[in-house]
């Protein structure tokens, strides 16, 4: 109930930040997964930090592992090994996770159409965004957005 009051008073995005810190949902439909925020910072080895920053600024553009490797001046295999060793996931998975996080933020804080969001986060089309979003969060973008609009309806 307190999260609902925060949402009504301060907005859904602010309530969501509090909910994430408390590791609880502000509101959940059906059997949806918890929407935990991805760690955006922390100990990242110097060798990947410039690449991660470069990638974060280019979520709207297609970037291959080969391009990442060229940017890092290593082979694709070496880059993949570094990602796995330092971050625990592949470069492609890391990039997709960031795109999903950007999608979530845009759904929470804007009224942009899904097609526009898809282009902004580099998922090319609304169909692709919906498929990837559902794979990651087991819900649709529309249902996710409704979660954050529930506190504003009234």
């Amino acid at each position: 109930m307190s999260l609902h009051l925060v949402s009504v008073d301060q907005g859904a995005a602010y309530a969501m930040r509090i909910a994430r810190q408390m590791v609880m949902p502000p509101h959940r439909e059906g059997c949806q997964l918890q929407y935990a925020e991805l760690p955006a910072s922390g100990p990242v080895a110097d060798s990947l930090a410039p690449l991660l920053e470069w990638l974060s600024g280019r979520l709207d553009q297609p970037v291959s592992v080969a391009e990442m490797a060229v940017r890092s001046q290593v082979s694709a295999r070496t880059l993949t090994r570094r990602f796995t060793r330092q971050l625990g996931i592949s470069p492609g998975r890391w990039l997709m996770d960031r795109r999903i996080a950007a999608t979530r933020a845009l759904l929470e804080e804007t009224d942009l159409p899904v097609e526009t969001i898809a282009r902004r986060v580099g998922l090319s089309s609304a169909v692709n965004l919906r498929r990837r979003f559902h794979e990651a969060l087991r819900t649709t973008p529309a249902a996710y957005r409704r979660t954050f609009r529930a506190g504003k309806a009234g």
Side-chain angles (χ1 to χ4, degrees), residues 31-66:
C31 60
Q32 293 177 358
L33 300 174
Q34 171 66 40
Y35 304 128
E37 190 167 1
L38 292 170
S41 62
V44 177
D46 291 343
S47 63
L48 287 179
L51 176 64
L52 299 182
E53 186 175 330
W54 181 79
L55 286 169
S56 293
R58 288 164 180 75
L59 290 180
D60 63 329
Q61 302 168 21
V63 181
S64 68
V65 174

Side-chain angles (χ1 to χ4, degrees), residues 16 19-20 23-26 28 32-36 104 137:
M16 189 62 188
R20 285 181 180 144
V23 190
M24 60 187 300
R28 190 182 301 181
Q32 293 177 358
L33 300 174
Q34 171 66 40
Y35 304 128
R104 289 171 48 190
L137 299 176

Side-chain angles (χ1 to χ4, degrees), residues 59-143:
L59 290 180
D60 63 329
Q61 302 168 21
V63 181
S64 68
V65 174
E67 290 171 297
M68 292 180 210
V70 168
R71 177 82 181 175
S72 299
Q73 300 177 345
V74 297
S75 71
R77 287 183 63 181
T78 297
L79 180 70
T80 300
R81 281 195 302 272
R82 284 185 185 170
F83 255 85
T84 303
R85 183 178 65 245
Q86 293 174 17
L87 301 176
I89 56 176
S90 70
R93 179 79 261 158
W94 184 90
L95 187 57
M96 183 56 64
D97 289 350
R98 289 310 170 270
R99 286 180 168 149
I100 295 297
T103 298
R104 289 171 48 190
L106 289 168
L107 289 170
E108 292 168 15
E109 299 168 7
T110 73
D111 292 321
L112 291 171
V114 173
E115 187 68 42
T116 302
I117 292 173
R119 284 191 305 273
R120 284 195 182 180
V121 301
L123 290 174
S124 70
S125 71
V127 171
N128 189 32
L129 182 144
R130 286 183 183 102
R131 183 173 59 86
R132 299 294 187 150
F133 198 84
H134 190 268
E135 286 172 0
L137 299 176
R138 300 290 183 245
T139 190
T140 65

